[in-house]
């Protein structure tokens, strides 16, 4: 029973709870049991709510018994990326500098999932302050990919993706600044969506780069992502960059998925050199399937995408160096103690030296450099111009097609340590995902299969014009249906049994 | 564009209030040089006629009346995460050093 419950989709679990076939307490307990069984090997969670989650679930069960009108995900457990602040739950953003901090308020997306009756299971691991593509930059140790525990789960949101891939949670919240929702989805065989910039409130999201960050769903299938998207999207007066927009139901877009006549543009620059053969193979097979259903596939060019990474690694550190100034040892988090007390500046510098990891220091120094007098125009100013050029590429492409498609990332999951010593090669992971953040457009990654050469998951990414998030759910939902018919079920059904892996990992001392 | 020196990194670390060790400064000097070399290509296409974009979705500044909102933290809540407080205010160490 318990194993059956954790393998249900969020939609199916919500329906069972609504029908009274299973209680929220039972569903929550099943997931907590699963976390206890496998998270030693996966390490998706930095904090688990435990009995407090059971109490929350019991409250939802009571409301239901009393006849309250509850939504489709009421009673369903959810994992929350540690970048979102949570009242009464530790929130570290993967950093030592926030170790032990219990925020006094909830981020807006957390408020919304609580209002929808969902049960927070805990906080998921991430690269420190979301800086990374592998979770290897988490101050609390990496998360392991459920498909192969020796490999990265993607990043920065590797914890959220691994938690749903390992059936520890039916769905999760993530944040995507340059691909931190979509790239983990790609390497773990799960679904991840970066909504249009401003569609979901950033209030209470510990900011990395404010003009790029966006909160979104992390799930095992497209309908679950749509249901969660419908819960968290909407204008929030507490976030001045939140868009005052009325959104159509994303869940409806999935249920009515139909790609006949849909024009799909394949981005030429993201379909060649540097992309693994098996990644490209599954990508093109997926496109063929869509074509057979009546979609029209055309090649489009985005000539400035090759400059997107460079622009991103100037804009992001610049914004991050400013955002992370708030970690000053005064209002929250760590404070280093110095002999003789020291001045406030000395304490601040010692605290930040002790509390930040190497990647965070690297990017703060890089951002400080890019913003400094004499270099500002050449670096930050030029990067902002590239941003304009990337947006123009999108505008030109979307003039002729409804959605764009590319592989989500160049390779399947790599092994721990493989790219740690070379920051530039680590940054190249995000080549296909970064342009969407620079332009604010929405993107989805959907499983496309396993690469033949290594048997690891591959994702396909679709991008739509700003505010047209529903198009992603239409094409993603349609493709998922076609692929699952071919596979005879979800891709994750082919993932290895974690209990076996857990043993192996322990025997090898990999924990 | 320009080579990065250890002195520059030390200066940047001071501006960013991070007490880097000499070893970290040495390491970062090399790495920053490599990263800057990789990102300098932005200048190749950032010609004068291209306007800069700072925000992905065009929007106006958002104002509201300057009144106390609904979800305001109490003093206790605001101080709850502080490393040190006197019960009603954040407490910090000396602002000025002896030489000042």
């Amino acid at each position: 029973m318990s194993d059956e419950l954790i393998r249900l989709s969020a939609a199916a679990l919500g329906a069972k709870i609504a029908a009274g076939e299973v209680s929220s307490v039972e569903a929550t307990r099943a997931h907590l049991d699963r976390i206890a069984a496998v998270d030693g090997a996966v390490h998706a969670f930095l904090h688990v709510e435990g009995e407090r989650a059971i109490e929350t679930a019991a409250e939802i069960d009571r409301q239901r018994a009393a006849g309250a009108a509850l939504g489709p995900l009421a009673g369903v457990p959810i994992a929350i990326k540690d970048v979102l602040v949570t009242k009464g739950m530790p929130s570290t953003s993967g950093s030592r500098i926030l170790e032990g901090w219990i925020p006094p308020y909830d981020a807006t997306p957390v408020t919304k999932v609580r209002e929808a009756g969902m049960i927070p299971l805990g906080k998921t691991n991430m690269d420190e302050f979301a800086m990374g593509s592998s979770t290897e930059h988490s101050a609390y140790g990496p998360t392991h990919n459920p498909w192969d525990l020796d490999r990265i789960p993607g990043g920065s949101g590797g914890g959220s993706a691994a938690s749903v891939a390992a059936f520890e949670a039916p769905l999760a919240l993530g944040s995507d600044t340059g691909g931190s929702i979509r790239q983990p989805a790609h390497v773990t065989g799960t679904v991840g969506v970066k909504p249009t910039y401003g569609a979901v409130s950033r209030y209470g999201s510990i900011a990395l780069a404010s003009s790029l960050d966006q909160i979104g769903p992390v799930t095992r299938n497209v309908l679950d992502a749509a249901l969660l998207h419908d819960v968290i999207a909407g204008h929030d007066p507490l976030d001045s960059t939140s868009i005052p927009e009325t959104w159509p139901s994303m869940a409806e877009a999935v249920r009515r998925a139909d790609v006949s006549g849909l024009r799909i543009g394949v981005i030429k620059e993201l379909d060649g050199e540097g992309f693994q053969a098996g990644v490209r193979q599954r990508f093109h097979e997926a496109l063929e399937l869509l074509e057979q259903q009546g979609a029209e596939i055309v090649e489009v060019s985005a000539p400035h995408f090759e400059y997107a990474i460079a622009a991103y690694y100037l804009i992001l550190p610049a914004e991050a160096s400013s955002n992370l100034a708030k970690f000053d040892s005064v209002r929250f988090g760590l404070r280093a103690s110095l002999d003789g007390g020291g001045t406030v500046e000395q304490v601040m510098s010692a605290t930040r030296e002790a509390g930040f990891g190497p990647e965070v220091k690297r990017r703060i120094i890089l951002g400080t450099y890019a913003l400094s007098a004499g270099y500002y125009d050449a670096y930050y100013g030029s990067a902002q111009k590239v941003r304009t050029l990337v947006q123009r590429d999108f505008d030109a492409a979307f003039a002729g097609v409804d959605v764009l498609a590319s592989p989500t990332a160049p390779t399947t999951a790599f092994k721990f340590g493989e790219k740690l010593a070379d920051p530039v090669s680590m940054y190249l992971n995000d080549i296909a995902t970064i342009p969407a953040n620079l332009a604010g457009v929405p993107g989805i990654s959907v499983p496309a299969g396993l690469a033949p050469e290594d048997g690891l998951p591959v994702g396909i990414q679709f991008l739509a014009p700003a505010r047209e998030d529903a198009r992603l759910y239409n094409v993603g939902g349609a493709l998922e249906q076609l692929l699952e018919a071919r596979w005879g079920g979800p891709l994750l059904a082919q993932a290895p049994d974690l209990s076996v892996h857990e043993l192996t990992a322990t025997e090898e001392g990999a924990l | 564009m320009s080579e990065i020196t250890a002195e520059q990194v030390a200066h940047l670390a001071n501006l960013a209030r991070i007490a880097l060790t000499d070893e970290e400064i040495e390491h970062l000097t090399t790495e920053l040089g490599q990263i800057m070399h990789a990102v300098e290509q932005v200048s190749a296409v950032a010609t004068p006629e291209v306007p800069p974009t700072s925000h992905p979705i065009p929007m106006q500044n958002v104002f509201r009346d300057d009144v106390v909102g609904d979800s305001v933290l109490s003093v206790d809540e605001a101080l709850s995460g502080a490393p040190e407080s006197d019960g009603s205010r954040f407490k910090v160490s000396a602002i000025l050093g002896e030489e000042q």
Side-chain angles (χ1 to χ4, degrees), chain A residues 87 101 104 196-197 211 238 240-241 304 306-307 310-311 313-314 329-335 342-345 347-350 352-353 356 361-362 364-366 368-369 375 378-379 382 384-389 391-392 423-424 427 438-440 466-467, chain B residues 1-2 4 8-9 12-13 15-21 24 28 31-32 34-36 38-57 59 62 71 73 77-78 80-84 90-97 100:
Chain A
K87 189 170 184 173
W101 181 52
T196 294
Y197 181 89
S211 78
L238 297 174
S240 62
T241 59
H304 297 98
E306 67 167 295
Y307 301 99
Y313 278 100
L314 288 165
S329 76
V330 174
R331 289 158 297 163
F332 28 65
L334 189 70
R335 176 181 290 183
T343 66
V344 69
E345 281 191 4
V347 171
M348 200 182 292
S349 298
R352 288 161 66 85
E353 163 65 11
F356 288 145
K361 290 175 186 170
R362 188 148 54 217
I364 289 176
I365 300 293
L366 183 59
T368 308
Y369 182 61
Y375 299 105
Y379 293 130
S382 296
Q384 288 190 312
K385 291 183 173 195
V386 171
R387 196 165 185 172
T388 305
L389 296 170
Q391 292 193 349
R392 286 178 182 170
V424 176
Y427 297 169
L438 290 175
R467 299 181 170 83
Chain B
M1 289 176 200
S2 59
I4 295 178
Q8 262 178 309
V9 172
L12 291 167
L15 291 175
R17 303 285 186 269
I18 306 176
L20 294 179
T21 62
E24 283 178 313
L28 271 174
E31 282 175 349
L32 283 189
Q34 288 162 354
I35 295 169
M36 291 315 292
V39 298
E40 271 171 3
Q41 51 166 307
V42 289
S43 58
V45 285
T47 48
E49 71 278 9
V50 180
T53 296
S54 61
H55 196 76
I57 307 285
M59 50 176 64
V62 178
S71 53
L73 296 181
E77 284 172 329
S80 64
E84 207 181 346
F90 296 105
K91 221 170 155 179
V92 297
S93 16
I95 301 296
L96 300 178
Q100 288 158 310

Side-chain angles (χ1 to χ4, degrees), chain A residues 50-77:
Chain A
E51 287 308 308
R52 292 203 345 183
I54 299 292
E55 285 165 28
T56 313
E59 173 56 28
I60 296 297
D61 286 338
R62 273 193 294 276
Q63 288 178 18
R64 193 179 299 279
L70 299 168
L73 295 176
V76 175

Side-chain angles (χ1 to χ4, degrees), chain A residues 103-359:
Chain A
Y105 69 104
D106 273 331
T108 296
V110 175
T111 303
K112 283 176 176 274
V113 302
R114 287 195 208 265
E115 285 170 357
M118 304 185 72
I119 317 298
L121 285 171
K123 306 299 289 289
T124 57
N125 195 18
M126 54 185 284
D127 287 290
E128 185 175 0
F129 290 114
M131 298 182 187
S133 312
S134 69
T135 71
E136 288 168 294
H137 294 307
S138 167
Y140 305 98
T143 296
H144 298 255
N145 190 323
W147 287 82
D148 178 347
L149 295 172
D150 294 331
R151 291 178 189 270
I152 60 109
S156 65
S160 281
S163 75
V164 301
F167 301 96
E168 295 172 284
L171 28 65
L173 288 173
S175 71
D176 191 310
T177 304
S180 289
I181 288 175
R182 291 163 289 157
Q183 181 257 4
H186 163 91
V187 295
T188 57
T190 57
V191 174
V193 179
K194 181 202 98 72
T196 294
Y197 181 89
V200 180
S201 172
R202 292 185 298 110
Y203 179 72
S205 169
I206 299 172
L208 169 55
S210 307
S211 78
L212 304 165
D213 296 347
Q214 187 58 200
I215 305 303
V218 174
T219 61
R220 288 194 293 264
N221 66 69
V222 179
L223 178 61
D224 287 355
L227 289 167
L228 183 53
H229 193 132
D230 286 340
V231 168
I232 59 177
H235 181 251
D236 179 11
L238 297 174
D239 172 5
S240 62
T241 59
S242 162
I243 314 177
E245 183 98 4
T246 310
W247 299 94
S249 162
M250 304 300 157
E252 271 311 296
V254 178
R255 293 194 177 108
R256 292 184 189 163
D258 177 7
V259 293
S260 56
L262 187 79
R263 290 164 303 166
I264 302 175
V266 175
I267 305 164
K268 191 173 75 177
E269 286 77 8
L270 297 175
D271 182 27
E273 201 189 334
F275 285 76
Q276 188 180 324
V279 170
R280 290 191 63 209
Q281 183 185 329
R282 295 303 182 221
F283 171 62
H284 285 280
E285 286 168 2
L287 292 174
E288 278 163 30
L289 268 183
L290 291 166
E291 198 168 23
Q292 285 161 18
Q293 294 298 308
E296 188 189 333
I297 312 291
V298 294
E299 188 182 85
V300 301
S301 176
H304 297 98
F305 279 19
E306 67 167 295
Y307 301 99
I309 287 196
Y312 177 85
Y313 278 100
L314 288 165
I315 291 168
L316 180 141
E319 293 190 15
S321 68
S322 166
N323 276 327
L324 269 57
K326 69 167 82 70
F327 300 104
D328 57 5
S329 76
V330 174
R331 289 158 297 163
F332 28 65
L334 189 70
R335 176 181 290 183
S337 54
L338 293 177
D339 290 342
T343 66
V344 69
E345 281 191 4
Q346 286 165 341
V347 171
M348 200 182 292
S349 298
T351 300
R352 288 161 66 85
E353 163 65 11
F356 288 145
E359 181 66 15

